[in-house]
């Protein structure tokens, strides 16, 4: 995605009002309202059949309204295309959560067909330029009514709240197969995708599109908004059903049927995409005035055998792909654990970014959670991908039936009961007051949690540390001097030569009892 992440997050909230399609057309203002196409039968099974049939045909990209005009709808011009408040789906009746639509533009140039469903019947929601605010000289006025110029949609807070028109939408689908949600702290941040194809490989990454959506209303605020989606791309098609629930954050239950047209080198299931520039762990001197800049600071894993793992994210000098082999994983996610404003000092509120947790439903079998870290020198790029990659090759003609949930919260959906890693810091190794030896790095890893708080007075946990290469020394453990019960830190030196990465592993134990989750870190020698 080429759109600046900061600009994306600052797009104005466009909120609208509309009744269900069976009412025909809403005339809150003369000439303004939704119009609908002819009815046709619809179900998830018919959508699966459509996806399967498309996979058997040659790929045809979705239509694009006049490219010469669309490429002129830049960030500023797109921001002026706000969907009219009197034209949101279900703003007055028919569903608890209004839906507004987003316009095509330079960063989202492809048409996405929108449909509304009632009692097994679907109608297309027809594009009309009058649904958007456009000044008399706006470049988008030159677009014809067909093909549609819808590019995505927003799901708004309950229409029963008087402030839903000004609050942050709680779900957004916009661009390729990208979608995102706010967490319980009221912020958006990282994104999810319908699928990821070949990230971090020698082959170009492919970005299939959600080319059509179908909407079923939530009768009550406790009910889910149901969204169906048709995915299409050169290498595969897919039929998706999203059950979107507004909880203290957002929970999405997702069912997907995938049909492969071509062999795929790396098929990424339930991919999460985020931004990590630098943090307290390590950063070049003077790279930026802020102490930290990231939407997520680590990958959390809950393995099939029950181990909880925390892997801090890096900004490497070249693309790195790390694989965490597993069988029947219980879950994984990209998290923002650092919630202290002073650690960021940024008005965009990085400390409130959501964490996203993927919960597999059913047995996903053998494979690996793969973490792709891409170098970046700015915060405008999504440079982190986490996803599940099945062990078996993804070959043409193969099908996949998947179910999973994504929890958009402040923390992991199922946090470890053990002490958890709360900070990772790197510095020069050796002893203060003496020459610092070259090639020696000091690591400081902090853990916090109830098991450590329950240690008998005078007893210490034991750090268990291993490294794939190099020599470990000066291993120590101490309580952090902040009078917080259960807050401990271990520090150690690692002497290593050469530039190859080093995988380091650490956890705390007391006698035979494991006290903490497992900290993993990929160290890149300077």
């Amino acid at each position: 995605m080429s759109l600046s992440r900061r600009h994306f997050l600052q797009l104005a909230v466009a909120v609208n009002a509309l009744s269900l399609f069976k009412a025909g057309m809403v005339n809150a203002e003369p000439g303004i309202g939704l119009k609908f196409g002819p009815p046709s039968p619809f179900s998830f099974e018919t959508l699966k059949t459509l996806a399967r049939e498309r996979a058997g045909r040659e790929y045809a990209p979705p239509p694009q309204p006049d490219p010469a005009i669309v490429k002129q709808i830049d960030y500023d011009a797109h921001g002026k295309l706000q969907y009219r408040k009197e034209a949101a789906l279900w703003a007055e009746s028919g569903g608890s959560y209004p839906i507004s639509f987003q316009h095509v533009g330079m960063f989202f140039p492809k048409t996405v067909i929108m449909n509304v469903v009632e009692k097994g019947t679907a109608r297309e929601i027809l594009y009309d330029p009058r649904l958007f605010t456009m000044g008399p000289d706006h470049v988008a006025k030159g677009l014809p009514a067909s093909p549609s110029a819808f590019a995505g949609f927003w799901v708004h807070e309950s229409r029963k709240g008087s402030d839903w028109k000004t609050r942050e939408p709680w779900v957004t689908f916009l661009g390729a197969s990208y979608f995102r949600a706010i967490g319980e702290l009221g912020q958006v941040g990282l994104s999810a995708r319908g699928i990821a194809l070949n990230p971090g490989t020698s082959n170009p990454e492919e970005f299939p599109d959600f080319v059509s959506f179908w909407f079923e209303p939530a009768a009550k605020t406790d009910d889910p908004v149901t969204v169906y989606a048709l995915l299409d791309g050169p290498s595969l098609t897919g039929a998706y059903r999203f059950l979107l629930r507004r909880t203290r954050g957002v929970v999405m239950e997702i069912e997907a049927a995938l049909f492969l047209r071509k062999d795929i080198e790396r098929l990424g299931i339930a991919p999460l995409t985020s931004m990590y520039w630098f943090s307290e762990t390590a950063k070049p001197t003077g790279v930026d005035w802020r102490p930290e800049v990231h939407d997520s600071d680590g990958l959390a894993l809950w393995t099939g055998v029950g181990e909880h793992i925390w892997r801090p994210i890096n900004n490497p000098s070249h693309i790195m792909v790390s694989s965490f082999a597993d069988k029947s994983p219980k879950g994984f996610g990209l998290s923002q654990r650092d919630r202290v404003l002073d650690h960021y000092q940024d008005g965009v509120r990085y400390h409130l970014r959501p964490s996203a947790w993927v919960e597999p439903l059913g047995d996903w079998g053998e494979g690996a959670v793969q973490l792709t870290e891409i170098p970046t020198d700015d915060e405008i790029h999504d440079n982190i991908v986490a996803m599940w990659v099945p062990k078996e090759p993804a070959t043409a003609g193969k099908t996949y039936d998947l179910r999973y949930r994504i929890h958009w919260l402040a923390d992991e959906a199922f946090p470890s009961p053990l002490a958890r890693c709360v900070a990772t810091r790197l510095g020069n190794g050796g002893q203060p007051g003496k020459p610092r030896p070259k090639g020696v790095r000091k690591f400081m890893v902090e853990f916090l949690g109830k098991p450590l708080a329950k240690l008998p007075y005078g007893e210490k946990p034991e750090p268990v540390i291993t490294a794939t290469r190099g020599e470990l020394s000066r291993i120590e453990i101490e309580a952090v001097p902040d009078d917080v019960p259960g807050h401990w830190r271990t520090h150690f030196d690692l002497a290593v030569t050469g530039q190859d990465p080093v995988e380091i592993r650490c956890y705390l134990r007391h006698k035979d009892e494991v006290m903490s989750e497992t900290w993993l870190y990929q160290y890149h020698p300077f």
Side-chain angles (χ1 to χ4, degrees):
M1 301 296 290
S2 57
L3 176 62
S4 158
R5 304 191 76 264
R6 181 168 295 240
H7 288 171
F8 183 89
L9 295 173
Q10 292 175 343
L11 285 173
V13 175
V15 203
N16 315 283
L18 163 84
S19 63
L20 196 57
F21 72 81
K22 64 180 180 180
M25 178 173 171
V26 175
N27 285 314
E29 202 173 303
I32 297 178
L34 287 187
K35 298 179 181 179
F36 302 89
S40 60
F42 179 82
S43 69
F44 191 34
E45 291 305 313
T46 61
L47 180 58
K48 291 179 184 179
T49 299
L50 175 61
R52 184 183 298 109
E53 291 174 349
R54 289 180 74 130
R57 301 195 299 265
E58 185 177 350
Y59 170 70
Q64 297 187 40
D66 191 334
I69 294 177
V70 171
K71 71 179 181 181
Q72 298 179 58
I73 306 176
D74 58 12
Y75 167 72
D76 291 329
H78 197 272
K80 295 174 182 177
L81 289 171
Q82 295 193 24
Y83 194 82
R84 291 186 182 276
K85 294 180 180 179
E86 62 270 28
L89 186 62
W90 305 323
E92 296 180 355
S93 64
S96 296
Y97 298 101
I99 292 178
S100 65
F101 303 101
Q102 297 305 299
H103 203 281
V104 297
M106 176 188 295
F107 303 111
F108 315 107
K110 301 174 185 177
T111 284
V112 181
I113 303 299
M114 306 295 176
N115 305 271
V116 64
V117 178
E118 184 185 34
K119 297 180 180 179
T121 298
R123 293 178 186 258
E124 181 182 350
I125 301 170
L126 303 178
Y127 169 75
D128 186 334
R130 294 175 298 173
L131 296 170
F132 295 86
T133 57
M134 294 186 192
D137 298 326
H138 198 287
V139 63
K141 277 189 168 293
L143 289 175
S146 181
S148 169
F150 291 138
F153 67 91
W154 290 352
V155 182
H156 297 274
E157 298 289 359
S158 171
R159 59 185 171 83
K160 296 179 181 179
S162 60
D163 61 347
W164 71 266
K165 296 178 181 179
T166 57
R167 292 179 64 185
E168 184 89 41
W170 56 278
V171 169
T172 300
F173 280 70
L174 186 62
S177 68
Y178 281 80
F179 56 95
R180 58 172 52 178
I182 62 174
E184 60 196 285
L185 302 178
Q187 270 274 330
V188 293
L190 78 168
S191 301
R193 281 188 269 171
I195 203 73
L197 304 182
N198 299 326
T201 68
S202 57
N203 290 321
E205 186 170 359
E206 184 180 319
F207 295 89
D209 298 288
F210 284 138
V211 295
S212 297
F213 291 109
W214 291 260
F215 308 105
E216 284 185 341
K220 299 178 295 184
T221 54
D222 291 340
D223 294 335
V225 177
T226 303
V227 177
Y228 303 92
L230 175 63
L231 183 82
D232 202 3
S235 296
L236 86 174
T237 66
Y240 286 72
R241 176 165 54 193
F242 296 84
L243 302 181
L244 311 178
R245 297 183 185 275
R246 186 69 169 106
T247 60
R248 72 180 190 271
V250 174
V251 178
M252 301 177 174
E253 186 166 327
I254 302 170
E255 184 175 353
L258 302 176
F259 307 92
L260 274 58
R261 280 193 178 101
K262 300 178 180 179
D263 294 349
I264 298 170
E265 180 179 352
R266 183 172 294 159
L267 177 69
I269 304 297
L272 303 175
T273 302
S274 193
M275 180 275 294
Y276 176 89
W277 186 12
F278 60 84
S279 70
E280 65 189 7
T281 300
K283 71 171 185 177
T285 302
V287 67
D288 191 87
W289 63 270
R290 294 163 293 181
E292 303 187 43
V293 177
H294 52 77
D295 282 337
S296 306
D297 52 13
L299 170 67
L301 304 167
W302 188 12
T303 70
V305 296
E307 183 180 19
H308 287 268
I309 294 172
W310 177 250
R311 164 55 156 82
I313 294 173
N314 282 317
N315 181 5
S317 59
H318 56 281
I319 295 176
M320 295 296 301
V321 178
S322 300
S323 291
F324 306 89
D326 202 357
K327 182 179 181 180
S328 306
K330 292 181 171 64
F332 67 93
L334 291 175
S335 294
Q336 186 79 314
R337 282 194 176 177
D338 193 333
R339 296 294 181 189
V340 181
L341 171 62
D342 286 349
H343 293 182
Y344 301 92
Q345 291 293 328
D346 196 307
V348 301
R349 300 184 293 180
Y350 282 118
H351 66 295
L352 300 181
R353 294 293 198 252
S355 299
W357 179 264
V358 175
E359 175 195 359
L361 299 176
D363 187 352
W364 280 13
E366 291 188 77
V369 175
Q370 289 195 353
L371 175 67
T372 301
E373 298 164 302
I374 302 170
T376 187
D377 60 0
D378 207 334
E379 65 201 280
I380 66 172
H381 305 296
D382 279 339
N383 63 317
I384 304 298
V385 181
M387 61 192 188
W388 174 256
V389 179
K391 181 179 180 180
E392 294 297 322
T395 55
K398 197 165 187 176
T399 63
Y400 295 83
D401 290 294
L402 303 162
R403 291 179 60 241
Y404 58 98
R405 293 190 186 99
I406 303 181
H407 302 258
W408 306 79
L409 301 168
D411 198 358
E412 285 107 71
F414 307 98
S416 170
L418 302 175
R420 299 201 294 165
C421 178
V422 294
T424 302
R425 298 182 176 89
L426 275 63
N428 290 325
Q431 294 179 273
K434 295 185 178 181
R436 300 299 177 113
K438 292 183 179 181
V440 178
R441 183 65 60 199
K442 181 174 291 296
F443 292 81
M444 182 80 70
V445 185
E446 294 183 15
F447 294 92
L448 175 64
K450 290 182 180 179
L452 295 175
K454 294 179 180 179
L455 283 173
Y457 180 77
E459 295 191 24
K460 294 183 178 183
E462 175 192 0
V464 180
I465 306 169
T466 59
T468 54
R469 65 188 192 89
E471 181 181 352
L472 295 165
S473 64
R474 301 179 58 80
I475 300 173
E476 299 182 31
I477 184 78
E478 63 182 358
V480 178
D482 57 3
D483 297 323
V484 175
H487 194 184
W488 289 78
R489 65 189 179 196
T490 181
H491 44 96
F492 57 91
D493 284 2
L494 175 67
V496 64
T497 59
Q499 300 298 311
D500 292 339
V502 184
E503 303 289 345
I504 314 172
R505 182 182 182 95
C506 172
Y507 68 94
L508 303 184
R509 70 183 177 193
H510 180 249
K511 298 180 180 177
D512 294 329
E513 182 182 359
V514 175
M515 307 295 286
S516 76
E517 67 182 2
T518 301
W519 171 85
L520 299 182
Y521 190 74
Q522 186 179 81
Y523 171 54
H524 295 260
F526 294 1

